[in-house]
Amino acid sequence: QRVKDPQVWASTMRAAGEHRRAAGAVGDPLLLHDPDHPGHVLAVVAFTDEAAAQAWRSRPGGRDQMLAAGVDLESVEVSVLQGIPK
């Protein structure tokens, strides 16, 4: 996704950690940026299950939080992935 300022976005993501964990997130998100394309970022957030991830994604106020973090909403791509068993 694209953001106005990766540092603002990352700070906002980190600040929401307690709320994410209460909603089923596991640990801290992995926050990445593309050094060749300023403003292109990726967050990998693990949840206990798909239902928890979907509930977090559609939570009330989530859109407003993303806008406050400078996220270009049209650039957001969400994927629910699962680990590959050993």
Side-chain angles (χ1 to χ4, degrees), residues 52-76:
Q54 295 293 358
W56 176 259
R57 177 73 177 107
S58 61
R59 73 194 179 285
R63 182 179 185 279
D64 292 337
Q65 291 170 340
M66 290 173 64
L67 288 171
V71 175
D72 173 357
L73 295 180
E74 292 184 16
S75 72
V76 175

Side-chain angles (χ1 to χ4, degrees), residues 8-77:
V8 170
W9 169 79
S11 293
T12 303
M13 287 291 294
R14 290 182 185 111
E18 184 177 326
H19 296 289
R20 249 192 325 276
R21 284 187 289 280
V26 178
D28 293 322
L30 175 61
L31 305 179
L32 305 169
H33 73 99
D34 183 343
D36 295 330
H37 298 94
H40 286 213
V41 297
L42 171 69
V44 178
V45 182
F47 280 87
T48 53
D49 56 41
E50 184 176 348
Q54 295 293 358
W56 176 259
R57 177 73 177 107
S58 61
R59 73 194 179 285
R63 182 179 185 279
D64 292 337
Q65 291 170 340
M66 290 173 64
L67 288 171
V71 175
D72 173 357
L73 295 180
E74 292 184 16
S75 72
V76 175
E77 293 182 33

